[in-house]
Amino acid sequence: MSAATRPLPSTRTLRARAAARHSEYLADLAALVAIDSGSYSPDGVNRVAAWLTDRLERCGATTQTVPTGRHRGRALGHALVARKKGSRPAADGGRRILLAGHMDTVFEDGTAAERPFSLDGSLAHGPGVSDDKGGLLAGLSAVEILTEEGFDDYDEIIFWATPDEEIGSPGSSALTRALAAEADFALALECARENGDLVIARKGVAEYLITVEGRAAHAGIEPERGAHAALAAAHLTIALQALNGRETDATINVGVLQAGTRPNIVPDRAELHVEVRAAAAACLDRIGHALADAAAHLRVPGTTATVRQLDLCPPMEPTEAGRHMLDLARSAAAELGVTFGAAHTGGVGDANTIAAAGTPVLDGLGPVGGADHSPQEWLDTATITDRVTLLALLIARLCHTTAP
């Protein structure tokens, strides 16, 4: 028999706890932004992981740092998984909630010193202030205020921080899938959109390398003996770009086109690096077949092409369970006087991987921020209290619900 559920913490109490932490949040955010933690800055990423580890262990979580290896010959930092056990086992209906954020930024070492944390009115600036250090800190703060409130009516809260999200999570995606498979619900800690919206869908991305093979010849003496790979690649580029518009909410981009070695040689090889983004997995698959078909029908005699998929990040598609989570979030937000919409974005994140594991996920649960990946990156500190409260309320209410 399942144990009786305990009362949910009140909105008023949680908001008061979040408000009391506002100054501490800003000091913590400044400390995290001061750490250079680019995707290929493993020492900095590991410093962020150590900082989070200390705080999570202080609120009763057990932690583990996980090596994630190397990518393209360069070392990656460690991932961090923290587990906070509750009082209701899964066998008694206890939920497992996954909180997922990332520790890496897109910025090179030295950026933190060049553009240190600063406040301009309510807007905080600095590398990673919104993407994703503000979000990570929101997740940590929500766990802490729930702990202070004595709410533990769950099986487990899993706090997951990746070191390589900004480069596609090559070292951590398998771990993300495994943790997502354990969870009943997942909340991704990217910051809310600039207008405050949460994220209910993200496009998927497939990357391809198309290699065109031709035949070399002297360009001045006997060009007719050659098979011009660059010309074939140029025609193929036009054909692939023409695929844009054939599918709803999808883009195809030949981002890199390389061919030839010398101007007096008919090129015998060319490469096209192609990115495809689409809102649905079926659409990604159809475009992949269209790429292969175009590569099989080159315009230049004597040339051939091979297509190789280099990477695939599946889309985070809207689901009934995701909309249910959004409804819960909106209900909680209404008690705070906060409203927001549901965003569909072309950017990818770890939420894509979580969704592909079949776990209901809602993204954009950090404070409101914007201008990510740029020197103008900002986070609106006036939204911190309400967004941390919202996140804590949503965690608690998910513990008392089932996915549709």
Side-chain angles (χ1 to χ4, degrees):
M1 178 183 294
S2 296
T5 57
R6 298 183 183 89
L8 289 168
S10 75
T11 301
R12 180 177 179 179
T13 302
L14 288 179
R15 193 183 188 284
R17 291 189 182 279
R21 288 171 161 267
H22 185 80
S23 295
E24 180 182 358
Y25 183 106
L26 292 180
D28 290 341
L29 186 58
L32 289 176
V33 168
I35 301 172
D36 284 312
S37 60
S39 306
Y40 294 116
S41 302
D43 291 343
V45 169
N46 292 345
R47 285 177 60 197
V48 175
W51 190 97
L52 290 169
T53 293
D54 177 64
R55 287 286 287 272
L56 287 159
E57 289 181 348
R58 277 195 264 162
C59 71
T62 61
T63 64
Q64 179 186 10
T65 52
V66 185
T68 55
R70 303 177 71 84
H71 180 243
R72 297 178 178 172
R74 303 177 71 178
L76 302 175
H78 294 165
L80 169 65
V81 58
R83 296 177 180 272
K84 182 167 172 56
K85 292 298 293 183
S87 62
R88 181 186 293 273
D92 290 336
R95 300 292 169 213
R96 295 190 181 102
I97 310 296
L98 176 66
L99 304 180
H102 65 91
M103 300 177 287
D104 62 321
T105 73
V106 299
F107 302 106
E108 298 296 325
D109 286 350
T111 308
E114 293 170 3
R115 291 194 290 105
F117 179 85
S118 64
L119 280 171
D120 180 10
S122 70
L123 298 186
H125 298 278
V129 69
S130 166
D131 186 19
D132 185 28
K133 292 176 178 179
L136 279 172
L137 192 52
L140 173 64
S141 299
V143 172
E144 288 177 332
I145 65 174
L146 285 172
T147 301
E148 290 174 0
E149 190 64 15
F151 180 79
D152 64 352
D153 199 18
Y154 49 82
D155 179 78
E156 189 174 49
I157 292 176
I158 306 168
F159 192 101
W160 173 235
T162 59
D164 55 351
E165 188 270 351
E166 296 291 6
I167 54 173
S169 302
S172 65
S173 59
L175 297 166
T176 300
R177 286 192 296 272
L179 291 172
E182 296 181 29
D184 297 293
F185 300 98
L187 301 172
L189 302 174
E190 297 282 0
C191 281
R193 304 300 91 177
E194 293 190 11
N195 62 357
D197 286 356
L198 303 190
V199 176
I200 198 170
R202 289 181 176 274
K203 285 184 179 180
V205 179
E207 294 184 11
Y208 294 88
L209 172 63
I210 302 177
T211 304
V212 178
E213 300 286 352
R215 187 170 54 252
H218 194 296
I221 298 175
E222 46 189 11
E224 69 281 358
R225 292 192 175 186
H228 206 297
L231 181 58
H235 283 295
L236 182 57
T237 297
I238 294 170
L240 297 183
Q241 291 296 139
L243 294 174
N244 282 291
R246 296 189 185 182
E247 294 276 358
T248 302
D249 208 12
T251 57
I252 302 94
N253 183 55
V254 181
V256 179
L257 177 58
Q258 298 173 320
T261 56
R262 297 172 64 93
N264 61 349
I265 300 175
V266 174
D268 63 351
R269 181 183 175 88
E271 289 185 348
L272 296 83
H273 294 256
V274 186
E275 181 195 80
V276 179
R277 294 189 182 233
C283 181
L284 276 180
D285 188 57
R286 288 193 298 271
I287 295 173
H289 286 297
L291 262 63
D293 182 67
H297 297 87
L298 299 181
R299 297 280 298 275
V300 178
T303 60
T304 60
T306 58
V307 180
R308 181 161 64 98
Q309 188 179 89
L310 300 179
D311 196 16
L312 174 64
C313 179
M316 171 188 168
E317 301 187 46
T319 64
E320 184 180 356
R323 285 186 283 270
H324 172 66
M325 295 173 72
L326 179 67
D327 288 342
L328 282 178
R330 281 176 164 161
S331 175
E335 298 172 20
L336 298 165
V338 174
T339 60
F340 46 74
H344 296 232
T345 179
V348 302
D350 287 331
N352 293 66
T353 304
I354 294 168
T359 305
V361 57
L362 187 63
D363 201 354
L365 272 301
V368 176
D372 297 351
H373 299 190
S374 79
Q376 291 75 43
E377 182 179 1
W378 57 270
L379 181 135
D380 187 354
T381 63
T383 67
I384 290 170
T385 294
D386 283 342
R387 293 292 169 149
V388 169
T389 307
L390 171 63
L391 182 52
L393 286 169
L394 187 53
I395 292 169
R397 293 178 187 189
L398 287 172
C399 292
H400 287 191
T401 191
T402 57

